[in-house]
């Protein structure tokens, strides 16, 4: 199984630094971004499975970022990280395609747990996609060429 | 508060003046107009009618005097036509004739016979002395010889007694003779002054030069005296003495009394008949009307002024109360807005504090992880220090969690509630809510009783709103109980049942202090509170009322001061 690659998005630099370190100690590959814009750039450059996204950020906020991620990278799973006052926006996030949400202040273990769940979901989804493609290729091997062309 | 009411009074001062002025002036305008107009018409009518009656009297009276004089003249003419000069000259024939004449009218005093040369030939009457005297050059004799008859002014003559004469001529030239009769001024006076109008009405006669010919009842001028007023009489009378018109005018006499005059000329004598009445007397009705009018004006004016003052006070008092109410409402509104702002700010702070807490948590975890790694490398002797550090780390974790609990509580409180209607079962939700306050009730020594009938129908509502209503009412009840009983002897019961109409009814009763009858009508009004300033917003019950009303239900209260209060909520059943 492929190792889970995480992206942490939060405007608090210190939080990013500490959390990245803690997660790496637990053996996860972690990338960080301090804004929605940066997160989108990172997603372009690298393969990321799960994004942990703070809802309240200056500039492009969590929900806008989420919509952009889902538009360009529909298979990336997103876990929203929210303060209590913005539960409503977390709900909006779930409606826009977030996998789950977490309440601040959250334990690192909670975050990892939710991230793992989201990763599993993604893997199941990828599995299905793979199975479907296999079926398609079995029926008509020429489709591979078409897929490549696309 | 005193300062506020003082300020309010000062503000009201100009307003008071204008209200008062309006309240007095506006009713006064129609009031004065009505009185003035009616008084004016009354006065005019009265004046016209008194003048008319005075005119009528002077006319009638003039006729009477005229005919009296005419009759006396005819009496004499009858004699001169019946008898000849010689007939009368014969012996004492004149005495017989005079006796007959007196029978016709008591006004005759004497009778004299004159020949053409004016020699007094015969005489009948009281004054025998005058026989044989020659009157040829007397004015009256000349006049009678000229015109055939003559009525004289009053004069004293040889007798020194005021009298006037009527003389008629018979025959012509040297055969002419004259019969002269003296008229009793007393009889004539009585005839002239017979007029009676009111108290002061009187009549008298003036000759063409203003000499009084009869006694005036009110005195002032005696017989044969000049009337000082005469000069002031309208001139038209003098200019056309033959004119028979009636003149009316008002004159002030030297005694400053105003008189209403009516004058007319007699027909067969250049005499002026004057009828006058004191104005005061003639306008007696007018004066009494004036007094009544004045009385009405004074009383009516007083009533208007008193009413205006009373009404103004009333209005101002009402305005003061309204102003005060407005002010206190405004203050409460500001307080409510402040509270709401504080709530929002608190929520904002709590949210912001969560971020640093998150970081602290992360740092704590990192330190703990590192600690474990270091502990493995260190010699076992430092175990005690490590334990202490571990203990401290645990405390940090504990306190961070505590902070996060506080922020969560604040956020929960400040959360905006969107009502999400759902079907609520009173048998479930009421015990749940009551469970939340049971502990508090126990601490305050309140016997909490709950009796939820199983057939209480379900109803529609938002669970958290419904909870808010019940908690608010229960908390109010607990406050009321604490005020009445302290910490023992309280009784609070929450019951529910199905009404006859099939609705759900929830009763919350306590045996607390109760609500005064002054306040019971206001308890559901926003911002009404009996709690000291800053303790209550006065919004609780009004919000509860609003919630229940939104659910289509009703909320009523029954209370007796000192006995307790019962709130009754009914909610439409959900089928």
């Amino acid at each position: 199984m492929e190792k889970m690659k995480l992206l942490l998005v939060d405007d608090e630099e210190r939080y990013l630094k500490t959390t990245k370190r803690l997660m790496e100690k637990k053996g996860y590959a972690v990338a960080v971004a301090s804004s929605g814009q940066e997160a989108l750039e990172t997603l372009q450059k690298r393969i990321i499975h799960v994004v942990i996204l703070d809802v309240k950020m200056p500039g492009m906020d969590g929900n806008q970022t989420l919509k952009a991620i889902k538009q360009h990278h529909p298979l990336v799973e997103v876990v929203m990280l929210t303060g209590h006052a913005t539960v409503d926006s977390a709900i909006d996030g779930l409606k826009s395609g977030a996998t789950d949400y977490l309440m601040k202040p959250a334990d690192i273990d909670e975050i990892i747990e939710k991230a793992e769940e989201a990763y599993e979901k993604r893997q199941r989804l990828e599995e299905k996609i793979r199975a479907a493609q296999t079926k398609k290729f079995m029926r008509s091997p020429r489709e591979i060429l078409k897929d490549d062309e696309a | 508060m005193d300062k506020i009411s003082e300020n309010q009074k000062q503000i009201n001062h100009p307003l008071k003046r204008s209200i008062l002025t309006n309240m007095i002036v506006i009713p006064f305008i129609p009031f004065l107009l009505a009185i003035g107009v009616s008084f004016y018409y009354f006065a005019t009518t009265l004046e016209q009618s008194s003048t008319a009656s005075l005119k009528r009297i002077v006319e009638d009276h003039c006729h009477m005097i005229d005919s009296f004089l005419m009759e006396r003249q005819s009496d004499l003419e009858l004699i001169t036509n019946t008898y000849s000069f010689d007939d009368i000259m014969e012996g004492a024939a004149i005495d017989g004739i005079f006796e007959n004449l007196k029978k016709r009218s008591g006004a005759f005093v004497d009778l004299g016979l004159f020949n053409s040369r004016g020699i007094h030939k015969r005489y009948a009457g009281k004054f025998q002395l005058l026989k044989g005297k020659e009157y040829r050059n007397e004015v009256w004799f000349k006049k009678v010889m000229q015109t055939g008859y003559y009525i004289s002014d009053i004069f004293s003559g040889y007798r020194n007694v005021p009298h006037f004469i009527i003389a008629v001529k018979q025959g012509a030239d040297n055969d002419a003779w004259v019969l002269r009769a003296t008229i009793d001024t007393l009889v004539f006076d009585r005839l002239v002054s017979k007029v009676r109008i009111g108290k002061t009405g009187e009549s008298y006669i003036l000759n063409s030069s203003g000499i009084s010919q009869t006694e005036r009842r009110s005195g002032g001028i005696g017989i044969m005296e000049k009337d000082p007023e005469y000069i002031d009489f309208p001139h038209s009378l003098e200019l056309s003495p033959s004119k028979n018109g009636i003149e009316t005018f008002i004159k002030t006499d030297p005694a400053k009394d105003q008189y209403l005059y009516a004058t007319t000329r007699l027909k067969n004598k250049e005499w002026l008949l004057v009828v006058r009445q004191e104005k005061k007397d003639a306008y007696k009705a007018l004066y009494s009307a004036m007094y009544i009018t004045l009385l009405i004006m004074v009383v009516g004016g007083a009533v208007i002024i008193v009413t205006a003052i009373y009404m103004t006070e009333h209005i101002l008092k009402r305005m003061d109360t309204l102003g005060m109410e407005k002010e206190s409402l405004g203050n409460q509104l500001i307080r409510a807005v402040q509270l709401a702002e504080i709530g929002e700010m608190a929520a904002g702070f709590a949210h912001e504090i969560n971020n640093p807490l998150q970081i602290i948590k992360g740092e704590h975890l990192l330190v703990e992880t590192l600690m474990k790694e270091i502990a493995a490398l260190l010699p076992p002797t430092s175990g005690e220090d490590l334990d202490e550090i571990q203990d401290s780390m645990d405390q940090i974790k504990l306190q961070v969690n505590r902070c996060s609990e506080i922020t969560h509580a604040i956020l929960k409180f400040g959360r905006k509630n969107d009502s999400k209607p759902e079907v609520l079962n009173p048998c479930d939700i009421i015990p749940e809510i009551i469970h939340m306050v049971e502990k508090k009730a126990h601490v305050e020594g309140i016997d909490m009783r709950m009796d939820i009938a199983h057939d209480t129908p379900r109803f529609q509502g938002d669970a958290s709103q419904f909870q808010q209503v019940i908690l608010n009412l229960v908390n109010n009840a607990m406050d009321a109980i604490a005020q009445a009983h302290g910490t023992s002897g309280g009784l609070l019961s929450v019951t529910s049942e199905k009404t006859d109409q099939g609705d759900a009814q929830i009763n919350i009763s306590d045996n607390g202090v109760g609500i005064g009858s002054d306040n019971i009508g206001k308890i559901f009004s926003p911002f009404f509170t009996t709690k000291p300033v800053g303790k209550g917003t006065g919004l609780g019950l009004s919000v509860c009322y609003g919630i229940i009303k939104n659910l289509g239900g009703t909320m009523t209260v029954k209370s007796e001061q000192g006995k307790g209060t019962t709130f009754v909520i009914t909610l439409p059943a959900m089928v």
Side-chain angles (χ1 to χ4, degrees), chain A residues 18-82:
Chain A
T18 314
T19 314
K20 178 179 157 79
R21 190 140 173 236
L22 279 167
M23 285 187 168
E24 276 168 353
K25 271 190 180 294
K26 288 188 190 282
Y28 296 99
V30 178
V32 295
S34 63
S35 73
Q37 200 56 49
E38 204 184 319
L40 288 172
E41 282 163 18
T42 313
L43 282 169
Q44 292 283 340
K45 284 182 256 170
R46 302 213 220 157
I47 292 170
I48 299 289
H49 300 118
V50 177
V51 178
I52 309 292
L53 182 62
D54 187 20
V55 172
K56 216 182 153 206
M57 283 188 297
M60 202 175 178
D61 78 6
N63 273 315
Q64 286 170 316
T65 314
L66 171 66
K67 275 173 194 148
I69 292 171
K70 279 288 160 187
Q71 197 185 340
H72 300 295
H73 314 279
L75 288 180
V76 172
E77 298 293 335
V78 180
V79 174
M80 308 289 283
L81 192 58
T82 170

Side-chain angles (χ1 to χ4, degrees), chain B residues 368-380 382-383 386 390:
Chain B
E368 231 175 21
T369 319
L370 293 172
M371 278 283 294
K372 272 179 198 145
E373 288 170 15
I374 293 165
L377 303 172
L378 283 176
S382 56
L386 279 174
Q390 188 57 50

Side-chain angles (χ1 to χ4, degrees), chain B residues 68-69 72-73 76 105-110 151 154 159 162-166 181-189:
Chain B
F68 172 83
L69 292 173
R72 299 298 77 80
Q73 192 187 328
L76 291 184
S105 169
F108 291 108
V109 176
D110 61 8
I151 297 168
I154 302 274
R159 290 173 251 186
H163 64 284
F164 78 95
I165 55 153
I166 301 176
T182 309
I183 301 295
D184 188 349
T185 46
L186 276 176
V187 174
F188 188 65
D189 266 4

Side-chain angles (χ1 to χ4, degrees), chain A residues 14 18 25 56 104 106 108, chain B residues 351-352 355 358 363 365:
Chain A
R14 180 69 207 189
T18 314
K25 271 190 180 294
K56 216 182 153 206
K104 270 188 184 176
I108 198 88
Chain B
H351 184 247
E352 287 309 317
N355 278 329
Q358 177 78 71
E363 298 299 324
L365 196 65

Side-chain angles (χ1 to χ4, degrees), chain B residues 20 23-24 28 299-312:
Chain B
L20 198 60
M23 292 273 257
I24 291 172
F28 251 111
V299 172
V303 167
I304 288 173
I305 289 168
V306 168
T307 312
I309 289 171
Y310 173 77
M311 290 290 282
T312 308

Side-chain angles (χ1 to χ4, degrees), chain A residues 12 14-15 18 21-22 25-26 54 56 81-86 88 103-109 111, chain B residues 347 351-352 354-359 361-363 365-366 369-370 373 397 400 404 408 411-412 415 418:
Chain A
E12 298 274 0
R14 180 69 207 189
Y15 174 70
T18 314
R21 190 140 173 236
L22 279 167
K25 271 190 180 294
K26 288 188 190 282
D54 187 20
K56 216 182 153 206
L81 192 58
T82 170
H84 190 92
T86 50
D88 287 341
M103 208 85 83
K104 270 188 184 176
D107 280 333
I108 198 88
D109 294 331
I111 297 171
Chain B
H351 184 247
E352 287 309 317
N354 275 344
N355 278 329
L357 283 179
Q358 177 78 71
I359 296 170
K361 238 180 181 174
E363 298 299 324
L365 196 65
L366 183 62
T369 319
L370 293 172
E373 288 170 15
K397 189 175 186 178
V400 167
S404 90
H408 279 195
L411 288 167
K412 194 175 177 187
R415 186 180 61 195
D418 294 330

Side-chain angles (χ1 to χ4, degrees), chain A residues 125-136:
Chain A
L125 197 65
E126 277 184 354
E127 205 72 55
K128 275 181 201 163
I129 293 168
R130 258 200 297 277
Q133 271 177 339
T134 316
K135 263 185 196 165
K136 199 168 72 180

